[in-house]
């Protein structure tokens, strides 16, 4: 029996993790769950799974949560600090880090320091602090198992190849809903259009990141840290069907890939049961029904976010942290209708240029870079507003 903590249990990865638990009641026990502010879902999950601890990041909702669960023997906590404390409980075996964005960093660090196995869905953690996280994980002998479908595919292609060096990683990308739009048309897309991903059902933030290809940029950075390769060993390939989830090329030229239906429950379950594969009822693919799979080069002109992510990791230090913070601000501003789709990369590029470079940032340096980059990005939102409003009239 593995005892698991799920950070971000009410989000897309969190709820699918609970699906996996539901299907494998003899393997997993939900020990702790946390959410940012989705209190009703969190209450329902607590009533179903009876965890030891339930935590809500938004402290103002704590009295309501306590009230709703007062009849159950559950510890009910509130605040970001409590989430970071919750993951250190000695009984927890695996922490599923499925929070959105920068908020995942601190609790993941605490979980690593407490020696927990991490099932990592929160890629922003490695974007912001890849070097720090990798170092801590080695120091504390703490395995980080990828949940991201591409990285799970790479991981699955590496199993049994421990002796062999990676020549190249082939990181596949669906290309999102706007794969074939011109630059002019991209300027006019709306949040509603961007939120319709062709293959994957995900949370709002990552769906926008997929449409802008920032998600793929983040995944390049994530792959670099998870698998210890150089950026020039990672090739992004657009594969609109999302069947080949990624691949590894070895020095003899052999390429090993993992294929499957676009369903996050498989990589989630694999991270939780590794090295075993558990029986599942997830959808199967039929190669003859699929007929053909296609592969294209990504277009860095129409999707400048991917280029920005490459630039950020090439510069290194605290710049990927600034990239992430600026993207969180721009992504939200786009979803709220404050800026156009193509203003996102402008704001991010501008912020990356203005942040002062720190080559070897400490955790505190990253905290201050994050906060400075957010302030700079917020400022460029208002600065651009006239242009943006004009842009909106064209929509
Ligand atoms: Mg992915």
């Amino acid at each position: 029996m593995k005892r698991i903590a799920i950070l971000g249990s009410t989000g897309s990865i969190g709820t699918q993790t609970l699906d996996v638990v539901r299907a494998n009641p003899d393997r997993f026990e939900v020990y702790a769950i946390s959410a940012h502010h989705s209190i009703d879902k969190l209450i329902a999950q607590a009533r179903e799974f009876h965890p030891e601890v339930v935590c809500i990041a938004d402290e103002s909702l704590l009295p309501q949560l306590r009230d709703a669960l007062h009849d159950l023997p559950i510890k009910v906590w509130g605040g970001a600090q409590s989430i970071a404390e919750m993951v250190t409980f000695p009984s927890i075996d695996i922490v599923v880090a499925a929070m959105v964005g920068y908020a995942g960093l601190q609790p993941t660090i605490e979980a690593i320091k407490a020696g927990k196995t991490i099932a990592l869905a929160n890629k922003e953690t490695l974007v912001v602090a890849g070097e720090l996280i990798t170092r801590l994980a080695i120091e504390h002998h703490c395995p980080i198992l990828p949940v991201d479908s591409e990285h799970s595919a790479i991981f699955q292609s590496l199993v049994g190849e421990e002796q062999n060096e990676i020549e190249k990683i082939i990181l596949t990308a669906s290309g999102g809903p706007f794969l074939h739009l011109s630059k002019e048309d991209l300027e006019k897309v709306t949040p509603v259009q961007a939120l319709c991903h062709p293959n994957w059902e995900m949370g709002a933030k990552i769906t926008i990141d997929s449409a802008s290809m920032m998600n793929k940029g983040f995944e390049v950075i994530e792959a670099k840290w998870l698998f210890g390769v150089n950026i020039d060993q990672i090739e992004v390939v657009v594969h609109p069907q999302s069947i080949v989830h990624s691949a590894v090329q070895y020095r003899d030229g052999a390429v090993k890939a993992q294929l499957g239906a676009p369903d996050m429950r498989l990589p989630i379950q694999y991270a939780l049961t590794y090295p075993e594969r558990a029986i599942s009822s997830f959808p199967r693919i039929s190669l003859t029904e699929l007929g053909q799979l296609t592969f294209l080069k990504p277009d860095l002109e129409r999707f400048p976010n991917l280029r920005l992510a490459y630039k950020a990791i090439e510069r290194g230090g605290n710049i990927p942290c600034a990239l992430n913070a600026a993207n969180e601000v721009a992504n939200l501003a786009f979803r709220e209708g404050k800026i156009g789709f193509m203003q996102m990369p402008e704001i991010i590029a501008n912020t990356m240029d203005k942040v002062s470079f720190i080559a070897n940032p400490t955790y505190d340096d990253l905290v201050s870079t994050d906060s400075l980059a957010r302030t700079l990005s917020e400022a460029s939102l208002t600065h651009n507003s006239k242009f943006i409003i004009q842009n909106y009239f064209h929509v």
Side-chain angles (χ1 to χ4, degrees), residues 123 147-151 172 200 202 206 215-216 219 222 264:
K123 66 194 85 187
V147 167
D148 209 348
S149 60
E150 295 79 0
H151 304 75
T172 53
W200 295 98
M202 306 175 286
I206 187 172
N215 182 54
K216 208 48 56 180
E219 290 184 354
E222 186 185 7
M264 284 309 296

Side-chain angles (χ1 to χ4, degrees), residues 108-109 111-118 126 129-145 224-229:
T108 306
I109 288 178
I112 293 172
K113 284 183 178 167
K116 307 300 181 194
T117 296
I118 311 289
L126 284 175
E131 191 152 28
L132 178 72
I133 293 287
T134 320
R135 183 160 29 86
L136 284 174
I138 292 167
E139 250 174 60
H140 295 271
H141 309 285
C142 159
I144 299 182
L145 304 174
K224 173 195 158 64
W225 293 116
L226 279 175
F227 306 113
V229 293

Side-chain angles (χ1 to χ4, degrees), residues 23-254:
N24 295 277
D26 50 327
R27 285 174 182 268
F28 307 117
E29 184 189 322
V30 178
Y31 193 87
I33 51 176
S34 78
H36 182 243
H37 60 246
S38 301
I39 186 164
D40 294 336
K41 271 193 195 171
L42 191 63
I43 292 166
Q45 291 175 346
R47 293 208 158 269
E48 181 182 352
F49 291 94
H50 293 259
E52 195 65 25
V53 201
V54 175
C55 196
I56 189 132
D58 182 344
E59 264 188 292
S60 69
L61 297 169
L62 181 58
Q64 202 184 326
L65 184 62
R66 284 219 163 109
D67 216 36
L69 298 175
H70 76 276
D71 58 321
L72 295 174
I74 297 177
K75 296 181 183 72
V76 182
W77 293 357
Q81 198 53 45
S82 302
I83 297 176
E85 238 168 83
M86 177 181 94
V87 297
T88 65
F89 267 90
S91 317
I92 295 170
D93 300 305
I94 305 182
V95 174
V96 179
M99 296 161 93
V100 178
Y102 177 81
L105 179 61
Q106 199 206 358
T108 306
I109 288 178
E110 294 309 320
I112 293 172
K113 284 183 178 167
K116 307 300 181 194
T117 296
I118 311 289
L120 187 73
N122 175 268
K123 66 194 85 187
E124 291 91 340
T125 292
L126 284 175
V127 172
V128 169
E131 191 152 28
L132 178 72
I133 293 287
T134 320
R135 183 160 29 86
L136 284 174
I138 292 167
E139 250 174 60
H140 295 271
H141 309 285
C142 159
I144 299 182
L145 304 174
V147 167
D148 209 348
S149 60
E150 295 79 0
H151 304 75
S152 176
I154 296 162
F155 179 53
Q156 292 178 58
S157 306
L158 287 168
V159 170
E161 300 282 358
E162 291 77 8
Q163 313 298 319
N164 294 314
E165 263 180 46
I166 298 170
E167 186 170 84
K168 189 170 88 173
I169 282 173
I170 299 164
L171 187 70
T172 53
S174 70
F178 306 140
L179 177 58
H180 300 295
L181 286 196
S182 68
K183 220 174 170 182
E184 296 68 45
D185 288 336
L186 280 172
E187 274 167 18
K188 296 178 219 152
V189 298
T190 64
V192 175
Q193 292 171 311
L195 285 167
C196 292
H197 196 279
N199 303 340
W200 295 98
E201 277 210 37
M202 306 175 286
K205 194 256 176 184
I206 187 172
T207 305
I208 300 300
D209 283 345
S210 294
S212 73
M213 290 202 76
M214 182 56 94
N215 182 54
K216 208 48 56 180
F218 282 177
E219 290 184 354
V220 169
I221 300 174
E222 186 185 7
K224 173 195 158 64
W225 293 116
L226 279 175
F227 306 113
V229 293
N230 298 322
I231 290 298
D232 59 10
Q233 285 175 285
I234 305 170
E235 182 189 7
V236 174
V237 173
V238 175
H239 167 47
Q241 296 86 5
S242 298
I243 297 295
V244 177
H245 295 308
S246 279
V248 178
Q249 179 177 306
Y250 293 93
R251 62 178 172 188
D252 58 354

